[in-house]
Amino acid sequence: MEQERRPVIFSGIQPSGELTLGSYIGAIKNWVELANDYDCYYCIVDMHAITVRQVPADLRRRTVEQLAQYIACGLDPQKNTIFIQSHVPAHAELAWILNCYTMFGELGRMTQFKDKSAKNAENINAGLFDYPVLMAADILLYQADLVPVGDDQRQHVELTRDIAERFNGVYGDVFRIPQTFNPKVGARIMSLTSPENKMSKSDKDPGGCIYIMQKPEDIMRSFKRAVTDSETCVRYDPVNKKGISNLMQIYSVATGKSFETIESEFTGRGYGEFKPAVGEAVVEMLRPIREEATRLMADKAYLESVYREGAERAAHTAARTLRKVQKKVGFIPR
Ligand code: TYM
């Protein structure tokens, strides 16, 4: 008899910088909300991070900090499999095989590749080009049903589906075809200083990005300086009022209030009142996370036990898919 299977979630974040408010709202917050109904795998994708040069000691530090922050955000390591990508070699092994089922032209069309190669013109390495195939391997190894990500990763999940369908077309039902999960509000949080650009950990302008571990006074300062427009009314209009609409999204996520409620709450009160209110709501949302992550960081032995156990569990699931794929393509079993 077939065992009852819970639907599976897979998602990951690169430890290539400090975790941002964008990643928290676009991804992690939803992971926590979805965690009860799924079998969840949350990965720290250090192999993706090295597609851009990293200082090794910083990468190591941020990898462990990110694990502490995942847990502090509410991901229970007993209920979710939390692990480091490079600890499960099946990711690299499947990525190689999938490379042979991915077209050069498909990878060349990826917006993120185009953006990143424009930003790193001196280091357009093969890993940067191949990045979405490793991401496809991450997702397909666990037969994920749902991939909760921000808007900027949607194209990569679509490519994952294409690769999986192509492979299944040749060999039968090997991979489950994953769906993207984008939050209704907050799938694309914008920079506070240039609201036409995504909030990003690689942002050169320090005031544009909020980090989940940032001190309350620094968060408040960035919100008070957030770029708005020449009107004075708090109204949701993402085309003409990008800055205010972005702040409304953030405020809505932090307080649970709808856009209508926010508009009436701030009727007749200018941006001088709205901006610090958003800052305060974010400070309060992040406070318990920052405190818990700081506490966890002091317990290295615990964090080590979490990533070791996570890798063991992940490797077990991943091996099942990898063996099946290797057999299909004609490799001799070890
Ligand atoms: P990364 O590390 O760039 O971002 C992590 C997650 O945060 C989301 N995100 C945002 N959401 C809303 N507004 C923003 N400003 C914002 N900035 C970031 C991203 O969409 C993402 O969900 N390739 C992935 C990591 C990855 C992965 C995977 C994800 C590797 N393998 C498998 C899912 C499944 C990345 O670079 O995310």
Side-chain angles (χ1 to χ4, degrees), residues 192-193 207 220-228 275:
L192 299 189
T193 48
M220 287 306 293
R221 188 175 325 111
S222 296
F223 276 101
K224 284 182 188 159
R225 289 185 185 163
V227 168
T228 50
K275 293 201 285 185

Side-chain angles (χ1 to χ4, degrees), residues 220-244:
M220 287 306 293
R221 188 175 325 111
S222 296
F223 276 101
K224 284 182 188 159
R225 289 185 185 163
V227 168
T228 50
D229 51 59
S230 54
E231 292 184 1
T232 50
C233 82
V234 175
R235 179 169 53 82
Y236 190 72
D237 177 353
V239 178
N240 300 306
K241 291 168 76 68
K242 289 198 166 59
I244 284 295

Side-chain angles (χ1 to χ4, degrees), residues 14 22-23 131 135 138 149-150 152-153 187 189 198-199 201:
Q14 300 187 68
S23 290
Y131 178 115
M135 181 161 158
D138 296 342
V149 284
D152 61 335
Q153 297 300 317
I189 298 296
K198 189 187 76 164
M199 182 181 281
K201 52 195 157 199

